[in-house]
Amino acid sequence: MSPQLFAILSRLVEERTGIHYDTGDREIFVSKATGRALTAGFESLLDYYYFLRYDAGSTAELDALIDALVVPETYFFREAHALRVAIETWIRPAVRRGRGARIWSAACSTGEEPLTLAMLLDESGLLPSVEIVASDLSTRALAVARAGGPYGDRSLRALPPNVLGRWLELDGSGAVHARPELLRAIAWRRINLCEPPAIANLGSFDLLVCRNVLIYFADENIARIAVSLSSALRPEGRLLLGASESLMRFGTLLECEEQQGAFFYRSRKT
């Protein structure tokens, strides 16, 4: 793949998904894009690009390319302290006020994060009063999430001792799955974070968890996504990012606050 072809193909992916690839990512991008193009029957990457760019029937193949490029890295109870803080600080009071609380796990990958939230809410007696929405761009990841697994050792590496058997179970082959009643507590959606109307259609939330995804976007896309996310927060709602992510440099409508050692964002309008 020539530098010029890398530039236009990676730009196409960024336009459609927001995911940015610079020259340091070129080798892995080329390897995965080449493999996907060959699987789709293209011997020329330029022909593959033209198909994705201009062919009206290319949507399914672009989805397949996205699935090939995105590498899910998540696990149950990842940075769980912040989730517990959010539940006790904002979700429980929202439930006590007599209205149903809403949580959105954005970029949920294969579902470990929203399932963790459902477990924590169930443990706190709040699950029946909370609506959980979980979304991702990858159709392959969402298929695993909707099915509740199977989950392997990487997903289970931080699992507390009381979880297996209570919310997760072994099937006949020894694979780990989420229990059906836990899955039914979550509404699964395919959402592109770079599409503001899709986010607006979800409504507003008391807690919005969007962790470890903005690091893959260029600054201009992060700034636009931050506007959409801030609009999706209820007046007392909070946004939780990953530990290595920050919106402070963008001067958005959101301001950062610390709560019991975890950092959250709230609307400056509140």
Side-chain angles (χ1 to χ4, degrees):
M1 185 183 292
S2 67
Q4 294 82 4
L5 184 52
F6 167 73
I8 59 175
L9 185 54
S10 63
R11 181 59 184 170
L12 173 63
V13 171
E14 184 171 7
E15 287 174 8
R16 303 292 177 84
T17 70
I19 301 172
H20 176 72
Y21 295 90
D22 58 27
T23 54
D25 305 312
R26 180 180 171 183
E27 184 175 343
I28 190 168
F29 180 90
V30 170
S31 174
K32 292 185 176 183
T34 300
R36 185 57 232 170
L38 291 171
T39 299
F42 290 87
E43 295 184 0
S44 163
L45 280 172
L46 185 59
D47 289 344
Y48 186 57
Y49 165 77
Y50 282 130
F51 171 74
L52 294 174
R53 170 66 79 181
Y54 300 111
D55 197 293
S58 66
T59 301
E61 179 54 35
L62 182 60
D63 288 345
L65 176 59
I66 292 168
D67 284 341
L69 289 169
V70 174
V71 179
E73 172 51 36
T74 184
Y75 52 91
F76 290 105
F77 291 85
R78 184 179 190 178
E79 299 170 15
H81 171 69
L83 300 180
R84 290 189 173 96
V85 169
I87 288 171
E88 291 303 318
T89 306
W90 295 290
I91 301 304
R92 187 179 293 281
V95 171
R96 285 175 175 167
R97 286 194 292 268
R99 61 169 177 79
R102 303 186 76 223
I103 298 176
W104 176 21
S105 171
C108 73
S109 188
T110 44
E112 289 90 332
E113 179 177 86
L115 287 167
T116 297
L117 281 162
M119 295 177 205
L120 294 174
L121 290 166
D122 191 36
E123 187 176 50
S124 301
L126 298 172
L127 186 57
S129 302
V130 180
E131 178 187 356
I132 305 173
V133 177
S135 70
D136 202 83
L137 180 61
S138 169
T139 55
R140 182 174 61 187
L142 278 175
V144 175
R146 287 190 173 107
Y151 296 109
D153 290 343
R154 289 186 62 82
S155 295
L156 307 173
R157 62 186 185 267
L159 207 65
N162 65 326
V163 171
L164 194 59
R166 181 176 180 182
W167 294 296
L168 302 179
E169 59 188 0
L170 292 169
D171 64 19
S173 65
V176 174
H177 288 263
R179 289 190 180 274
E181 57 269 27
L182 204 65
L183 292 171
R184 288 194 293 268
I186 302 168
W188 307 97
R189 301 284 186 268
R190 186 170 189 253
I191 298 293
N192 187 337
L193 293 178
C194 291
E195 296 179 356
I199 295 176
N201 287 338
L202 292 177
S204 57
F205 297 89
D206 299 276
L207 175 63
L208 202 169
V209 185
C210 185
R211 300 193 293 184
N212 308 303
V213 63
L214 296 182
I215 55 175
Y216 297 107
F217 295 154
D219 280 358
E220 58 268 26
N221 280 327
I222 296 175
R224 285 193 288 268
I225 292 169
V227 172
S228 295
L229 297 183
S230 66
S231 298
L233 289 175
R234 287 176 170 175
E236 296 300 320
R238 296 297 189 275
L239 166 66
L240 174 61
L241 301 180
S244 62
E245 297 170 310
S246 172
L247 296 176
M248 298 298 290
R249 67 187 186 279
F250 294 103
T252 68
L253 299 175
L254 296 162
E255 61 182 357
C256 187
E257 65 177 14
E258 185 268 341
Q259 186 78 22
Q260 299 179 45
F263 292 90
F264 300 87
Y265 291 84
R266 67 175 184 177
S267 173
R268 292 183 183 274
K269 294 180 288 186
T270 61

